[in-house]
Amino acid sequence: MKRKSIKEAIQGYGIKKAVYYLDSNPEKNIPKVLNWLIKIDKEEKYVAKQAKVILPYMDNKNNNWYRLIKSLYTDVDDGVRKKLFENFIVNGVFIGGKRQNKARKEYQCNVPWAILLDPTSGCNLHCIGCWSAEYGDKLNMDFDTLDSIITQGKELGIYFYVYSGGEPLIRKKDIIRLCEKHQDCAFLAFTNGTLINDEFAQEMLRVKNFVPAISVEGFQEETDYRRGKGTFLATEKAMELLRAKKLPFGISCCYTSKNTEVIGSEEYFDFMVGKGAKFAWFFTYMPVGKDAVPELLAKAEQREFIYRQIRHFRESKPIFTIDFWNDGEYVKGCIAGGRRYLHINANGDIEPCAFIHYSDSNVYEKSILEALKSPLFMEYHKNQPFHANLLRPCPLLDNQGRLAEMVERSGAKSTDLKNPEEVGSLTEKCIPAADRWEPVADRLWKESHGCRNCNGCLNKAALFYEEQDEVK
């Protein structure tokens, strides 16, 4: 296990002191701490840019960002807030960020900020169009394997781990054990919420470094349509329990052709805020697996609707939102392939993305670093961004043939053990959606960037990645 250097320890100690300083009088001290973060991150590699965005809002107590930050002190347990702040900011951003940059430069490959991993393929629900339903509970990674992934990750500076599945809370006990063992990490789980009970909430309070993102498809009608009768009421019960315990949580929303207008409505955003959610992660439906339902793919006008609604509500609603496709311009395109995250399924296959079920590496045969240097991950490294228009970030859904080319050149294979899917077949299911989104994305990009042609954007994108390589 790599120990923190003296420099890392000193810097970490200073930021921890800032956390306690904040707690003494958050209303007065938040602007001071933001200014301090800007000062210590002079080259704007870590948090200075974000701090500069937040700082102007701190003078207006009615502003949604002010209200969100203040709610972290009124609605969240003190010990949980301090632990998560320390693990995210001290370990995940400053200490971890520097280790990641050093590793990128040394190994000339992508090194992610987060790892998404599936403890199990098992799930207590059977949602329409979900690939996990095909596997049942046949695939599981044991505790030692999960522990090894996290240990390897920390060597590279990765302190943020996200569980998916399957339903990860089927493995509650192991998840809590990992939180205990890796107290310097922050853990999140995408969960249907139905297994969150009082006993587990108490365990979350005890370990302090675990946050759930509860999956909802809208209100009762939309959620129960895909996830089964009674699911929505179960998620509401889980949210109420977490809020009562002063435990932070968020919402995970998949928008489809059936529910986009509901998920993007002001009523729905107000519902999330009212239930106590502090963040919302938005995904668009991807037709992955034998049981996929391509008809659930959001239409181009629906994707534009989500694009506009989220940007609008960021100015008025006290909730932090991430739109994983439409926010490509903020993160310079696709974040998969280890650029900012990678995915490890319950069979141990190391995949570039949760929605890209192809791999040439497995945790039982290769280290995380070896996988990042494998042909498939190096294809991502060489080809990102996949388009000059960063509103078309995805090599599968937004750029015809890009994924297929990388998979074929790398020799990667389908990781679907039950019904292997040829990459050409998967691509075909996405072509109509990609064709319809292209003119919309180009119009939106020109609106927001004043572009007259794509060559300028392409040159800027190339320059950005050259700068990133220098940072690495």
Side-chain angles (χ1 to χ4, degrees):
M1 173 68 67
K2 184 174 181 179
R3 294 182 180 276
K4 292 178 182 176
S5 68
I6 294 175
K7 186 176 180 181
E8 287 175 337
I10 291 172
Q11 188 174 54
Y13 177 78
I15 299 172
K16 287 178 193 177
K17 283 293 184 182
V19 175
Y20 288 97
Y21 177 66
L22 265 177
D23 281 357
S24 66
N25 189 338
E27 201 162 331
K28 177 182 176 182
N29 294 332
I30 285 174
K32 294 180 181 179
V33 171
L34 289 172
N35 276 310
W36 179 70
L37 290 172
I38 292 167
K39 185 177 179 180
I40 66 170
D41 184 18
K42 292 178 182 178
E43 296 180 18
E44 297 190 350
K45 291 182 181 179
Y46 304 104
V47 294
K49 288 181 181 178
Q50 294 84 344
K52 285 180 178 179
V53 170
I54 296 169
L55 188 58
Y57 295 112
M58 292 300 100
D59 292 331
N60 181 1
K61 294 184 179 181
N62 294 318
N63 180 271
N64 59 308
W65 293 106
Y66 180 94
R67 287 183 285 142
L68 174 60
I69 292 173
K70 187 176 179 181
S71 76
L72 299 179
Y73 290 86
T74 58
D75 300 353
V76 178
D77 175 82
D78 289 346
V80 171
R81 183 184 60 255
K82 289 174 184 176
K83 171 59 70 174
L84 289 172
F85 191 100
E86 179 182 328
N87 290 356
F88 271 113
I89 303 299
V90 180
N91 299 332
V93 176
F94 282 99
I95 293 173
K98 289 181 179 180
R99 284 191 191 176
Q100 291 161 30
N101 285 338
K102 183 179 178 182
R104 289 173 191 135
K105 181 177 285 188
E106 181 178 352
Y107 301 114
Q108 293 297 299
C109 65
N110 284 333
V111 175
W113 181 71
I115 291 178
L116 175 68
L117 60 164
D118 302 346
T120 179
S121 64
C123 186
N124 60 324
L125 299 182
H126 193 107
C127 302
I128 294 172
C130 176
W131 64 79
S132 293
E134 297 177 27
Y135 296 111
D137 59 356
K138 300 294 188 295
L139 305 176
N140 292 278
M141 282 192 284
D142 61 25
F143 177 87
D144 289 340
T145 302
L146 295 166
D147 178 46
S148 173
I149 291 168
I150 297 166
T151 300
Q152 290 180 60
K154 288 197 292 187
E155 293 282 338
L156 296 170
I158 305 164
Y159 287 88
F160 185 41
Y161 296 86
V162 184
Y163 298 114
S164 58
E167 169 49 53
L169 295 193
I170 286 176
R171 300 283 300 281
K172 285 180 185 178
K173 291 183 178 179
D174 283 335
I175 283 175
I176 291 296
R177 283 179 65 198
L178 290 164
C179 288
E180 286 177 317
K181 183 166 183 181
H182 300 280
Q183 272 285 296
D184 51 354
C185 294
F187 295 92
L188 182 143
F190 292 117
T191 172
N192 59 46
T194 61
L195 300 179
I196 295 174
N197 54 21
D198 189 79
E199 180 184 359
F200 185 65
Q202 285 300 127
E203 287 291 87
M204 288 171 59
L205 270 175
R206 182 173 65 83
V207 295
K208 298 179 173 53
N209 56 344
F210 177 85
V211 179
I214 300 173
S215 298
V216 281
E217 306 286 329
F219 295 109
Q220 186 166 357
E221 180 182 347
E222 297 80 23
T223 299
D224 287 3
Y225 164 75
R226 270 198 78 197
R227 296 179 176 272
K229 188 176 180 180
T231 304
F232 180 76
L233 294 178
T235 62
E236 276 197 302
K237 185 177 179 181
M239 291 180 217
E240 289 162 5
L241 172 62
L242 293 169
R243 188 175 187 182
K245 299 280 188 184
K246 302 191 80 172
L247 285 162
F249 69 92
I251 304 289
S252 171
C253 309
C254 177
Y255 61 94
T256 73
S257 60
K258 301 288 187 183
N259 69 349
T260 294
E261 290 72 19
V262 172
I263 273 183
S265 69
E266 184 165 22
E267 181 185 10
Y268 185 67
F269 270 72
D270 288 340
F271 160 77
M272 292 192 290
V273 173
K275 286 297 178 184
K278 301 305 177 190
F279 62 89
W281 290 16
F282 286 79
F283 303 86
T284 192
Y285 177 74
M286 296 286 277
V288 177
K290 179 181 74 70
D291 292 338
V293 183
E295 294 75 22
L296 286 176
L297 277 164
K299 300 180 178 70
E301 59 268 26
Q302 291 176 313
R303 185 166 166 181
E304 179 180 357
F305 172 74
I306 290 291
Y307 168 92
R308 294 191 183 280
Q309 289 295 92
I310 288 179
R311 279 161 175 72
H312 172 62
F313 291 138
R314 280 175 180 158
E315 299 299 317
S316 58
K317 306 298 181 185
I319 185 169
F320 180 76
T321 52
I322 300 175
D323 182 350
F324 276 85
W325 267 258
N326 294 332
D327 282 345
E329 62 181 310
Y330 303 128
V331 291
K332 310 300 180 185
C334 172
I335 63 171
R339 183 171 159 255
R340 290 294 176 264
Y341 99 104
L342 59 79
H343 176 241
I344 304 174
N345 70 18
N347 191 50
D349 298 309
I350 306 171
E351 301 168 336
C353 174
F355 302 102
I356 305 300
H357 295 182
Y358 300 91
S359 178
D360 56 6
S361 304
N362 188 286
V363 293
Y364 300 111
E365 299 166 354
K366 293 183 182 179
S367 68
I368 301 300
L369 180 57
E370 287 171 332
L372 289 166
K373 295 165 69 176
S374 72
L376 180 58
F377 277 79
M378 290 307 295
E379 284 289 333
Y380 269 77
H381 179 69
K382 290 184 290 186
N383 285 283
Q384 290 163 323
F386 297 108
H387 199 278
N389 181 343
L390 299 177
L391 294 177
R392 296 174 58 189
C394 182
L396 173 59
L397 189 60
D398 300 328
N399 297 281
Q400 286 188 31
R402 295 303 296 275
L403 175 68
E405 291 168 1
M406 293 192 296
V407 168
E408 288 164 5
R409 281 196 298 263
S410 68
K413 305 297 182 185
S414 172
T415 56
D416 189 326
L417 299 180
K418 194 171 181 181
N419 296 288
E421 184 172 28
E422 292 294 329
V423 69
S425 173
L426 174 61
T427 299
E428 281 182 20
K429 289 187 285 187
C430 297
I431 286 174
D435 285 343
R436 289 191 290 267
W437 177 244
E438 180 178 350
V440 177
D442 288 348
R443 171 170 51 80
L444 292 173
W445 188 255
K446 288 174 184 177
E447 280 180 17
S448 59
H449 293 80
C451 298
R452 292 172 183 260
N453 63 73
C454 284
N455 289 332
C457 286
L458 187 58
N459 291 335
K460 288 177 184 177
L463 282 172
F464 171 82
Y465 275 86
E466 286 176 15
E467 289 169 5
Q468 288 295 93
D469 285 339
E470 287 176 12
V471 171
K472 294 170 189 175

